[in-house]
Amino acid sequence: VQLVESGGGLVQPGGSLRLSCITSGFTFRDSWMAWVRQAPGRSLEWVANINTDGNTVYHVDSVKGRFSISRDNAKNSLYLQMNSLRADDSAVYFCATDPDFGALDSWGQGTLVSVSS
Amino acid sequence: DVVMTQSPLSLPVTLGQPASISCKSSQSLVHSNGNTYLTWFQQRPGQSPRRLIYKVSNRDSGVPDRFSGSGSGADFTLQITRVEAEDVGLYYCMQGTIWPPTFGQGTKVEIK
């Protein structure tokens, strides 16, 4: 199982980024997926998750209306579109498989997002 | 949101000695389907989190049997029978029973 995130970087407040997670080694189209973030020196925070066909998505309140999770099963890829970024969105963003009520069993290496002027 | 409270936050341990981490939730984590979605993760320095235990006490494949999880309702424990050098890192509990899933603050295990 491999999950490889990309798309992070330095962005100004109010800007946008699109994170990608390319997966292999498992049947992506049968797997719920999630994004989790970790601010420097802080604990983990759930961001969003998505069902197998992409028709059901959940976002935590702190990102609702600004972030959007999506997937492309033909490309074995997961995405996180992040708009109206704020300084407190700065974190390492991990994608993970979500087999059962948040019991994330495989994680990527993460991609760093820094929001600063 | 459900608050997950871990203790201690820092745990210095002598090699070969046991260690225990407590995780308490602000609400019962028993789902209406009868399952309890309490997961333990290990995060070694500079690495991504790794799942150790799911549904309170189910150990993942490849996880040494010195790790065990127990508990019920709103009170859970991760135990390491004999700490080894490779166990150094942060340990997080997480609940998935009630949306949104929430994590504990993390417990740092270090060698004395």
Side-chain angles (χ1 to χ4, degrees):
Chain A
V1 175
Q2 274 205 314
L3 300 92
V4 180
E5 301 94 335
S6 62
L10 176 63
V11 62
Q12 292 188 338
S16 298
L17 280 176
R18 188 192 194 210
L19 305 184
S20 299
C21 173
I22 299 176
T23 73
S24 60
F26 66 102
T27 308
F28 179 76
R29 64 179 179 272
D30 291 342
S31 300
W32 280 65
M33 299 294 296
W35 287 99
V36 173
R37 66 185 180 183
Q38 186 172 37
R42 304 292 297 274
S43 182
L44 299 156
E45 181 187 18
W46 192 277
V47 175
N49 61 336
I50 186 169
N51 74 335
T52 55
D53 62 12
N55 288 332
T56 300
V57 299
Y58 300 96
H59 301 83
V60 293
D61 285 349
S62 59
V63 308
K64 206 171 285 184
R66 300 187 300 122
F67 291 12
S68 180
I69 188 172
S70 63
R71 66 191 295 158
D72 185 336
N73 286 346
K75 295 182 178 179
N76 292 332
S77 295
L78 177 72
Y79 306 102
L80 186 67
Q81 177 66 44
M82 305 189 296
N83 300 326
S84 303
L85 282 160
R86 312 185 303 219
D88 63 358
D89 294 318
S90 296
V92 174
Y93 284 73
F94 298 99
C95 68
T97 52
D98 181 14
D100 192 19
F101 286 83
L104 308 171
D105 59 346
S106 296
W107 296 63
Q109 86 289 349
T111 186
L112 177 63
V113 172
S114 297
V115 184
S116 174
S117 54
Chain B
D1 296 0
V2 176
V3 177
M4 304 297 288
T5 302
Q6 291 182 228
S7 62
L9 299 185
S10 177
L11 184 54
V13 187
T14 301
L15 285 173
Q17 293 300 302
S20 180
I21 300 170
S22 170
C23 175
K24 296 184 190 298
S25 57
S26 58
Q27 302 178 48
S28 172
L29 300 185
V30 180
H31 193 275
S32 57
N33 65 13
N35 289 317
T36 300
Y37 296 100
L38 187 284
T39 306
W40 288 97
F41 298 95
Q42 175 195 62
Q43 188 174 31
R44 291 173 171 150
Q47 294 188 11
S48 305
R50 166 200 183 194
R51 194 179 75 178
L52 297 177
I53 304 281
Y54 61 97
K55 284 194 279 189
V56 181
S57 59
N58 294 275
R59 191 169 48 245
D60 269 279
S61 172
V63 174
D65 60 8
R66 63 179 181 274
F67 289 92
S68 65
S70 63
S72 63
D75 194 353
F76 305 94
T77 302
L78 176 70
Q79 293 187 310
I80 311 173
T81 52
R82 293 173 302 278
V83 171
E84 297 189 8
E86 66 178 16
D87 300 336
V88 164
L90 285 159
Y91 291 78
Y92 296 96
C93 61
M94 192 214 79
Q95 69 82 21
T97 298
I98 300 165
W99 178 263
T102 46
F103 294 85
Q105 319 96 300
T107 294
K108 186 175 185 179
V109 171
E110 56 187 7
I111 305 301
K112 278 184 185 174

